[in-house]
């Protein structure tokens, strides 16, 4: 399916974290796939990286249907799938794995969303110097 997706990446400066690249890549991939899957065409996903001395913040924003506040914690539970749309099936493990993977890297996952106003998932990761 062609979702006519546009993904924009904005980086203020290089950012390094310590950990397995695959662990990070799987979390990031899952958030991008979810953004594309749950948004109406044409899909727009914005990724912003703010690097810091102690923490880096990587935010993935979409213009999808959003998540009601009452479900913000629930969406990270294993096997919870908030989608009732049979055209967008899911096993309900993706966001659970995102949170677990980011915690494995020493970070945390934040969610900002309102129903009907898209989602912003932020991965907060510990900074590592570029020479280490």
């Amino acid at each position: 399916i062609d979702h006519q997706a546009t993904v924009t990446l904005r980086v203020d400066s290089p950012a390094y974290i310590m950990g397995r690249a695959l662990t990070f890549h799987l979390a990031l991939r899952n958030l991008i796939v979810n953004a594309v899957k749950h948004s109406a065409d044409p899909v727009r996903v914005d990724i912003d990286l703010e690097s810091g001395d102690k923490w880096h913040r990587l935010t993935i924003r979409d213009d999808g249907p959003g998540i009601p506040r009452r479900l913000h914690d629930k969406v990270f539970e294993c096997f919870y799938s908030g989608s009732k749309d049979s055209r967008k099936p899911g096993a309900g493990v993706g966001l659970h794995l995102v949170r677990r993977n980011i915690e494995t890297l020493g970070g945390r996952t934040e969610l900002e969303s309102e129903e009907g106003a898209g989602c912003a998932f932020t991965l907060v990761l510990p900074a590592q110097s570029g020479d280490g």
Side-chain angles (χ1 to χ4, degrees):
I1 297 175
D2 179 11
H3 290 280
Q4 303 170 16
T6 300
V7 179
T8 304
L9 173 64
R10 285 183 289 273
V11 177
D12 63 2
S13 63
Y16 300 91
I17 61 170
M18 182 172 290
R20 293 188 50 165
L22 180 60
T23 301
F24 171 73
H25 291 156
L26 289 173
L28 180 59
R29 179 187 180 281
N30 186 279
L31 290 174
I32 294 169
V33 167
N34 276 0
V36 171
K37 178 176 161 183
H38 294 290
S39 297
D41 294 343
V43 177
R44 178 172 175 83
V45 180
D46 293 315
I47 304 172
D48 294 296
L49 173 64
E50 297 174 44
S51 58
D53 292 336
K54 294 188 179 190
W55 297 95
H56 302 306
R57 299 178 61 82
L58 183 71
T59 302
I60 297 90
R61 286 184 180 79
D62 65 51
D63 55 2
I67 299 171
R69 284 187 186 264
R70 70 181 185 282
L71 299 177
H72 281 200
D73 287 328
K74 190 120 182 107
V75 296
F76 291 103
E77 292 178 9
C78 195
F79 303 119
Y80 176 78
S81 176
S83 178
K84 304 297 183 227
D85 188 342
S86 62
R87 295 168 297 170
K88 300 175 182 177
V93 295
L95 290 176
H96 173 74
L97 291 175
V98 166
R99 178 168 273 177
R100 278 194 63 196
N101 283 358
I102 296 307
E103 287 173 354
T104 297
L105 296 170
R108 68 183 182 278
T109 306
E110 299 173 351
L111 169 60
E112 292 180 38
S113 182
E114 297 282 341
E115 193 166 15
C119 291
F121 286 90
T122 300
L123 308 179
V124 182
L125 298 156
Q128 174 71 25
S129 67
D131 58 4

